[in-house]
Short mmCIF file of all heavy atoms in Angstrom, two decimals:
data_model
loop_
_atom_site.label_atom_id
_atom_site.label_comp_id
_atom_site.label_asym_id
_atom_site.label_seq_id
_atom_site.Cartn_x
_atom_site.Cartn_y
_atom_site.Cartn_z
N VAL Z 555 7.50 13.11 20.97
CA VAL Z 555 7.50 11.92 20.18
C VAL Z 555 6.37 10.96 20.60
O VAL Z 555 5.65 10.41 19.79
CB VAL Z 555 8.87 11.20 20.24
CG1 VAL Z 555 8.83 9.88 19.54
CG2 VAL Z 555 9.91 12.09 19.62
N CYS Z 556 6.20 10.78 21.90
CA CYS Z 556 5.13 9.90 22.44
C CYS Z 556 3.75 10.44 22.06
O CYS Z 556 2.86 9.65 21.70
CB CYS Z 556 5.25 9.79 23.92
SG CYS Z 556 6.70 8.85 24.53
N THR Z 557 3.58 11.76 22.09
CA THR Z 557 2.28 12.33 21.72
C THR Z 557 1.97 12.08 20.25
O THR Z 557 0.81 11.73 19.91
CB THR Z 557 2.30 13.87 21.99
OG1 THR Z 557 2.57 14.09 23.39
CG2 THR Z 557 0.99 14.50 21.63
N VAL Z 558 2.95 12.24 19.38
CA VAL Z 558 2.72 11.97 17.96
C VAL Z 558 2.34 10.50 17.75
O VAL Z 558 1.41 10.19 17.01
CB VAL Z 558 4.00 12.30 17.15
CG1 VAL Z 558 3.85 11.81 15.69
CG2 VAL Z 558 4.25 13.82 17.17
N CYS Z 559 3.04 9.59 18.41
CA CYS Z 559 2.73 8.14 18.28
C CYS Z 559 1.29 7.85 18.71
O CYS Z 559 0.55 7.16 17.97
CB CYS Z 559 3.70 7.32 19.15
SG CYS Z 559 5.39 7.28 18.59
N ILE Z 560 0.91 8.34 19.86
CA ILE Z 560 -0.43 8.07 20.37
C ILE Z 560 -1.47 8.69 19.46
O ILE Z 560 -2.51 8.06 19.21
CB ILE Z 560 -0.56 8.64 21.81
CG1 ILE Z 560 0.36 7.89 22.78
CG2 ILE Z 560 -2.00 8.55 22.29
CD1 ILE Z 560 0.43 8.48 24.14
N PHE Z 561 -1.19 9.85 18.93
CA PHE Z 561 -2.15 10.56 18.09
C PHE Z 561 -2.48 9.77 16.81
O PHE Z 561 -3.63 9.46 16.53
CB PHE Z 561 -1.61 11.95 17.74
CG PHE Z 561 -2.54 12.75 16.87
CD1 PHE Z 561 -3.64 13.40 17.42
CD2 PHE Z 561 -2.30 12.85 15.51
CE1 PHE Z 561 -4.50 14.12 16.60
CE2 PHE Z 561 -3.14 13.59 14.68
CZ PHE Z 561 -4.26 14.22 15.24
N TYR Z 562 -1.43 9.44 16.03
CA TYR Z 562 -1.73 8.77 14.75
C TYR Z 562 -2.20 7.35 14.92
O TYR Z 562 -2.98 6.84 14.11
CB TYR Z 562 -0.55 8.87 13.79
CG TYR Z 562 0.68 8.02 14.07
CD1 TYR Z 562 0.66 6.64 13.94
CD2 TYR Z 562 1.89 8.62 14.37
CE1 TYR Z 562 1.77 5.87 14.15
CE2 TYR Z 562 3.03 7.83 14.59
CZ TYR Z 562 2.96 6.48 14.49
OH TYR Z 562 4.09 5.73 14.68
N THR Z 563 -1.81 6.69 16.02
CA THR Z 563 -2.31 5.33 16.27
C THR Z 563 -3.76 5.36 16.67
O THR Z 563 -4.57 4.54 16.22
CB THR Z 563 -1.47 4.66 17.38
OG1 THR Z 563 -0.10 4.67 17.00
CG2 THR Z 563 -1.91 3.25 17.62
N SER Z 564 -4.12 6.27 17.54
CA SER Z 564 -5.51 6.36 18.03
C SER Z 564 -6.46 6.68 16.88
O SER Z 564 -7.57 6.12 16.81
CB SER Z 564 -5.62 7.43 19.11
OG SER Z 564 -4.77 7.17 20.20
N LEU Z 565 -6.04 7.55 15.99
CA LEU Z 565 -6.94 7.95 14.89
C LEU Z 565 -7.03 6.89 13.78
O LEU Z 565 -8.12 6.53 13.33
CB LEU Z 565 -6.45 9.27 14.29
CG LEU Z 565 -6.71 10.53 15.06
CD1 LEU Z 565 -6.14 11.73 14.31
CD2 LEU Z 565 -8.20 10.76 15.33
N GLY Z 566 -5.87 6.39 13.33
CA GLY Z 566 -5.88 5.60 12.12
C GLY Z 566 -5.84 4.11 12.28
O GLY Z 566 -5.97 3.36 11.30
N GLY Z 567 -5.65 3.59 13.51
CA GLY Z 567 -5.62 2.15 13.71
C GLY Z 567 -4.41 1.52 13.09
O GLY Z 567 -3.38 2.17 12.82
N VAL Z 568 -4.52 0.23 12.75
CA VAL Z 568 -3.37 -0.51 12.26
C VAL Z 568 -2.95 -0.01 10.87
O VAL Z 568 -1.77 -0.09 10.51
CB VAL Z 568 -3.65 -2.02 12.25
CG1 VAL Z 568 -4.59 -2.39 11.08
CG2 VAL Z 568 -2.33 -2.81 12.13
N ARG Z 569 -3.87 0.50 10.08
CA ARG Z 569 -3.46 1.03 8.74
C ARG Z 569 -2.52 2.21 8.87
O ARG Z 569 -1.52 2.29 8.18
CB ARG Z 569 -4.72 1.43 7.96
CG ARG Z 569 -5.56 0.27 7.48
CD ARG Z 569 -6.77 0.73 6.66
NE ARG Z 569 -7.53 -0.40 6.21
CZ ARG Z 569 -7.27 -1.12 5.12
NH1 ARG Z 569 -6.21 -0.78 4.38
NH2 ARG Z 569 -7.97 -2.17 4.78
N ALA Z 570 -2.84 3.10 9.81
CA ALA Z 570 -1.94 4.23 10.04
C ALA Z 570 -0.60 3.76 10.59
O ALA Z 570 0.45 4.26 10.21
CB ALA Z 570 -2.61 5.21 11.00
N VAL Z 571 -0.62 2.78 11.49
CA VAL Z 571 0.60 2.21 12.07
C VAL Z 571 1.47 1.65 10.98
O VAL Z 571 2.68 1.93 10.89
CB VAL Z 571 0.26 1.17 13.13
CG1 VAL Z 571 1.52 0.42 13.53
CG2 VAL Z 571 -0.39 1.83 14.36
N VAL Z 572 0.87 0.84 10.11
CA VAL Z 572 1.65 0.17 9.06
C VAL Z 572 2.25 1.18 8.08
O VAL Z 572 3.43 1.08 7.73
CB VAL Z 572 0.74 -0.84 8.32
CG1 VAL Z 572 1.42 -1.31 7.03
CG2 VAL Z 572 0.47 -2.05 9.20
N TRP Z 573 1.44 2.13 7.64
CA TRP Z 573 1.97 3.09 6.65
C TRP Z 573 2.96 4.08 7.22
O TRP Z 573 3.90 4.50 6.56
CB TRP Z 573 0.81 3.83 5.96
CG TRP Z 573 0.16 2.96 4.90
CD1 TRP Z 573 -1.02 2.32 4.94
CD2 TRP Z 573 0.76 2.63 3.62
NE1 TRP Z 573 -1.23 1.60 3.79
CE2 TRP Z 573 -0.18 1.80 2.96
CE3 TRP Z 573 1.92 2.99 2.97
CZ2 TRP Z 573 0.05 1.30 1.66
CZ3 TRP Z 573 2.16 2.50 1.69
CH2 TRP Z 573 1.23 1.65 1.07
N THR Z 574 2.79 4.48 8.50
CA THR Z 574 3.81 5.31 9.12
C THR Z 574 5.07 4.50 9.34
O THR Z 574 6.19 5.05 9.13
CB THR Z 574 3.32 5.89 10.46
OG1 THR Z 574 2.82 4.83 11.28
CG2 THR Z 574 2.27 6.93 10.26
N ASP Z 575 4.95 3.23 9.71
CA ASP Z 575 6.13 2.40 9.83
C ASP Z 575 6.86 2.25 8.48
O ASP Z 575 8.09 2.26 8.42
CB ASP Z 575 5.73 0.97 10.28
CG ASP Z 575 5.47 0.94 11.78
OD1 ASP Z 575 5.81 1.89 12.46
OD2 ASP Z 575 4.95 -0.11 12.27
N CYS Z 576 6.09 2.19 7.40
CA CYS Z 576 6.67 2.11 6.05
C CYS Z 576 7.48 3.37 5.74
O CYS Z 576 8.63 3.31 5.29
CB CYS Z 576 5.56 1.91 5.03
SG CYS Z 576 6.15 1.67 3.34
N LEU Z 577 6.88 4.54 6.00
CA LEU Z 577 7.59 5.78 5.80
C LEU Z 577 8.83 5.87 6.66
O LEU Z 577 9.91 6.25 6.19
CB LEU Z 577 6.62 6.95 6.13
CG LEU Z 577 7.26 8.35 6.24
CD1 LEU Z 577 7.75 8.80 4.88
CD2 LEU Z 577 6.23 9.35 6.78
N GLN Z 578 8.70 5.48 7.92
CA GLN Z 578 9.82 5.58 8.83
C GLN Z 578 10.94 4.62 8.51
O GLN Z 578 12.11 4.91 8.67
CB GLN Z 578 9.29 5.38 10.26
CG GLN Z 578 8.35 6.49 10.74
CD GLN Z 578 7.42 6.03 11.86
OE1 GLN Z 578 7.54 4.94 12.39
NE2 GLN Z 578 6.46 6.90 12.18
N THR Z 579 10.58 3.44 8.01
CA THR Z 579 11.61 2.45 7.64
C THR Z 579 12.41 2.97 6.46
O THR Z 579 13.65 2.81 6.42
CB THR Z 579 10.95 1.10 7.26
OG1 THR Z 579 10.24 0.59 8.38
CG2 THR Z 579 11.98 0.09 6.83
N ILE Z 580 11.76 3.58 5.49
CA ILE Z 580 12.44 4.14 4.34
C ILE Z 580 13.44 5.22 4.79
O ILE Z 580 14.59 5.25 4.34
CB ILE Z 580 11.43 4.72 3.31
CG1 ILE Z 580 10.64 3.55 2.68
CG2 ILE Z 580 12.16 5.51 2.24
CD1 ILE Z 580 9.51 4.02 1.80
#
């Protein structure tokens, strides 16, 4: 789980963070 978090955050910045949060909240 930690590896996945670091991976998408490092690549996509805050846009990736926001949209993954959106998916995860749903």
Side-chain angles (χ1 to χ4, degrees):
V555 173
C556 291
T557 301
V558 171
C559 290
I560 294 172
F561 179 79
Y562 72 69
T563 303
S564 301
L565 284 180
V568 74
R569 289 182 178 276
V571 170
V572 167
W573 281 106
T574 50
D575 281 350
C576 184
L577 169 66
Q578 293 156 8
T579 299
I580 292 173

